[in-house]
Amino acid sequence: MPPWLLHHHLSRLQTNSDRIHITAMASAAKRSKKLRILLIPFFATSHIRPFTDFAFHLTAASPGDVEATVAVTPANAPVVQAALSSHIPRGGHGGDARVKVTTYAFPNVDGLPPGVENMSTVKAEDAWRIVAAASNEAVMRPAQESLIRTSSPDAVVTDLHFIWNAGIAAELGVPCVAFNIGGIFPTLALWRLTAIEIKDPAAGGSVTVPQFPGPDISLPVTELPDFLRNQAQVFEFDHGAENRFMVELKACLGFAANTFIDLEPEYCENFIDSGFVKRAYFVGPLSLPPVAAATVAITGGEKSSSACFDWLDTMPAHSVVYLCFGSLTKLSEAQLNELAVGLESSGVPFLWVVKVPTWEPPAGWKERVGSRGMLVTGWAPQRDILQHPAVGAFVTHCGWNSVLETFAAGVPVLTWPMAFEQFIVERFVTQVVSIGERLWPEGAGRRSTRREEHELVPGEAIARAVAKFMEHGGAADAARRRVAELSAKARAAMADGGTSHRDLHQLLDDIMAARASGGGTMAP
């Protein structure tokens, strides 16, 4: 074990007497009653699902002793239920039965019709309304504070979007954990980039992430999230900055992240040493089932009867390109048309998930493609699809949830980022761990986190990239060998005694110790 990793696991407890005292308190707390944890995710499926997975793992880690409740607004409750349904009780766990769902009121937002409470269901032009409401403490805090006070949990797990919940928990004397659905690489990069002054964002140019381990990571300004391009919104994350976010973050018991140490060791070490948080817990990939459940095949009526799996079963191993761009990405019809042309011209078998139900492929496209391709409209069971032996590559938008799922499945990627921190994650995938390539080569055209600036990716470029990547003995084969090693490490991290398994149990021990001490915090 590297010395820094040993330090990570031992530094939480300063002396042997501290360890004995805390363990005794935790044991007493465990005997007294169930540990009740309230989890509050942001209004996006890409946040709600990993929060629900986290809740499931917390309950499965200590069956009968932990009860987790995911708090969402009413229209988002089905998202939690759908996520829980994927955790079929296995090996006697029944962890999903101990995960509850509760709701609190979504604020009235001008321009949003009733029932539109999720970034995945809102019209693209209205997405900013949900973001603006969610980031407004005056709008959001009253309902969340009422929920927390009424629920009276033993601990609160809050999304970083709602960091003020740390202050509410502190007032109640209960510990709060900040949970980051993203990886440490993109999080650390974003926080470091706040120190960069972009004098004229419209002028273009590139920036390099400062104080970053590993290779230099540079991005065009157009590929930065809006909060970095809009300097008025930027605040620095240095040690002297007394901004509200950092104050609340440091008030938390700790910071949990959906990643595992062996995936990004240098960046985890740098994050631990940064002083941003009191403690860090690396608890992923949460999309994987608990170790006892992992020994049982993931099956179910939905998978066995799904037409896409029937189709995949007819395809040779590693021959199919799977395409899905997440729950938030909204491709234009023009881009969908170019993508259809590119897949047709590539000659490669493909399974393509389209989230635009009104879009129709070009005339005659389905007939020309025939049985070589399959189009799925709406939702598809991505985790299971990626595990299918026929899948040979994943064209992904580089959302962290999708990236973790491809690591867990051992599938190489072609990257097509479009928004938020996805361009940063792309650098991690292609430059740091090297499990794939850019679908649109550097210099081929302008890409941007803003839809209106992102140039149309032409069909011929898509066809060329897909065909070349999938060539026998080509880039996909080499990337598959590298990602297979990381897949084994991901499963080892979640297995009994693995790094993520230990951090998950350490987090529960720390929460119980904080509860037993009668306060919401512990000495770092």
Side-chain angles (χ1 to χ4, degrees):
M1 179 180 292
W4 72 266
L5 179 54
L6 180 63
H7 172 73
H8 165 60
H9 285 291
L10 296 182
S11 63
R12 299 190 183 110
L13 304 173
Q14 296 177 352
T15 66
N16 287 335
S17 61
D18 288 335
R19 179 184 294 275
I20 294 170
H21 178 58
I22 289 174
T23 301
M25 290 191 300
S27 297
K30 184 175 179 180
R31 288 193 299 269
S32 64
K33 62 174 182 175
K34 285 185 177 180
L35 185 69
R36 294 174 300 109
I37 303 175
L38 181 67
L39 300 95
I40 310 177
F42 173 66
F43 309 129
T45 301
S46 57
H47 286 239
I48 296 170
R49 287 192 69 91
F51 262 78
T52 305
D53 290 339
F54 193 19
F56 175 78
H57 278 273
L58 288 168
T59 62
S62 187
D65 297 319
V66 178
E67 179 183 281
T69 300
V70 182
V72 290
T73 56
N76 286 313
V79 181
V80 182
Q81 297 289 3
L84 287 176
S85 69
S86 67
H87 293 289
I88 303 170
R90 310 174 185 94
H93 271 290
D96 55 335
R98 292 186 301 277
V99 177
K100 300 181 178 180
V101 185
T102 192
T103 60
Y104 62 97
F106 189 79
N108 292 322
V109 179
D110 289 342
L112 289 184
V116 177
E117 303 171 3
N118 189 304
M119 293 286 290
S120 304
T121 58
V122 70
K123 293 180 180 178
E125 61 269 22
D126 288 330
W128 68 271
R129 300 181 190 274
I130 289 183
V131 175
S135 59
N136 188 328
E137 182 176 358
V139 170
M140 292 305 311
R141 177 167 177 147
Q144 292 181 346
E145 182 165 3
S146 176
L147 170 75
I148 294 171
R149 291 184 180 276
T150 302
S151 302
S152 188
D154 298 306
V156 174
V157 176
T158 186
D159 204 305
L160 295 179
H161 285 75
F162 305 139
I163 195 63
W164 53 76
N165 286 325
I168 298 170
E171 291 176 12
L172 295 175
V174 298
C176 183
V177 176
F179 177 48
N180 180 29
I181 66 157
I184 294 300
F185 179 94
T187 300
L188 192 59
L190 289 173
W191 292 4
R192 297 296 192 198
L193 282 168
T194 60
I196 298 291
E197 182 181 359
I198 304 172
K199 295 182 179 179
D200 184 9
S206 297
V207 296
T208 300
V209 182
Q211 304 175 55
F212 216 40
D216 285 345
I217 301 297
S218 298
L219 301 97
V221 171
T222 59
E223 296 180 14
L224 296 177
D226 261 351
F227 85 92
L228 289 174
R229 297 172 68 176
N230 181 358
Q231 292 292 295
Q233 299 177 17
V234 170
F235 48 87
E236 292 187 11
F237 285 80
D238 61 60
H239 294 285
E242 289 301 321
N243 62 74
R244 175 70 182 282
F245 181 90
M246 291 308 297
V247 169
E248 296 282 23
L249 189 61
K250 289 184 179 179
C252 291
L253 173 72
F255 178 97
N258 190 13
T259 188
F260 58 104
I261 291 171
D262 279 341
L263 177 60
E264 37 185 350
E266 290 178 283
Y267 304 97
C268 289
E269 178 183 10
N270 189 275
F271 187 80
I272 291 168
D273 293 339
S274 68
F276 292 143
V277 299
K278 288 181 180 177
R279 300 170 188 79
Y281 307 90
F282 309 118
V283 296
L286 293 168
S287 59
L288 287 174
V291 61
T295 60
V296 180
I298 301 175
T299 59
E302 181 179 30
K303 174 176 177 178
S304 61
S305 64
S306 172
C308 67
F309 287 98
D310 292 341
W311 179 81
L312 284 169
D313 289 342
T314 67
M315 293 294 168
H318 303 152
S319 65
V320 175
V321 172
Y322 170 63
L323 304 94
C324 184
F325 300 105
S327 58
L328 297 181
T329 303
K330 307 283 197 303
L331 289 176
S332 67
E333 291 205 359
Q335 186 62 80
L336 289 170
N337 289 336
E338 290 295 326
L339 184 47
V341 169
L343 291 173
E344 178 187 350
S345 302
S346 72
V348 175
F350 62 88
L351 174 58
W352 179 17
V353 179
V354 178
K355 300 295 180 71
V356 184
T358 58
W359 175 76
E360 287 291 335
W365 180 84
K366 290 182 180 180
E367 291 74 18
R368 293 191 300 273
V369 168
S371 61
R372 178 170 61 84
M374 184 168 189
L375 189 66
V376 178
T377 302
W379 181 84
Q382 178 164 291
R383 295 177 189 177
D384 289 344
I385 288 172
L386 288 170
Q387 297 284 349
H388 197 285
V391 175
F394 179 21
V395 177
T396 175
H397 64 304
C398 294
W400 188 254
N401 292 331
S402 290
V403 166
L404 272 189
E405 288 171 5
T406 204
F407 279 124
V411 176
V413 298
L414 279 170
T415 60
W416 191 341
M418 300 180 196
F420 312 115
E421 78 287 358
Q422 294 164 6
F423 294 89
I424 296 173
V425 176
E426 178 191 59
R427 266 60 175 191
F428 178 70
V429 168
T430 60
Q431 295 179 218
V432 178
V433 293
S434 301
I435 64 153
E437 296 182 347
R438 289 176 50 150
L439 182 136
W440 211 20
E442 187 173 0
R446 184 176 59 183
R447 306 187 311 173
S448 175
T449 51
R450 296 174 181 171
R451 294 181 69 195
E452 65 273 15
E453 294 177 348
H454 201 306
E455 292 182 10
L456 203 67
V457 183
E460 56 267 26
I462 297 167
R464 187 165 50 249
V466 170
K468 188 173 188 302
F469 191 67
M470 294 296 286
E471 286 177 349
H472 180 68
D477 288 347
R480 187 174 298 108
R481 290 191 290 271
R482 288 189 290 271
V483 75
E485 296 175 2
L486 288 169
S487 178
K489 290 180 179 180
R491 295 175 188 282
M494 296 298 289
D496 191 11
T499 56
S500 295
H501 179 267
R502 291 200 302 268
D503 270 19
L504 185 71
H505 282 265
Q506 184 66 61
L507 172 59
L508 286 172
D509 286 346
D510 289 348
I511 290 174
M512 286 191 287
R515 184 184 74 171
S517 68
T521 60
M522 294 165 44

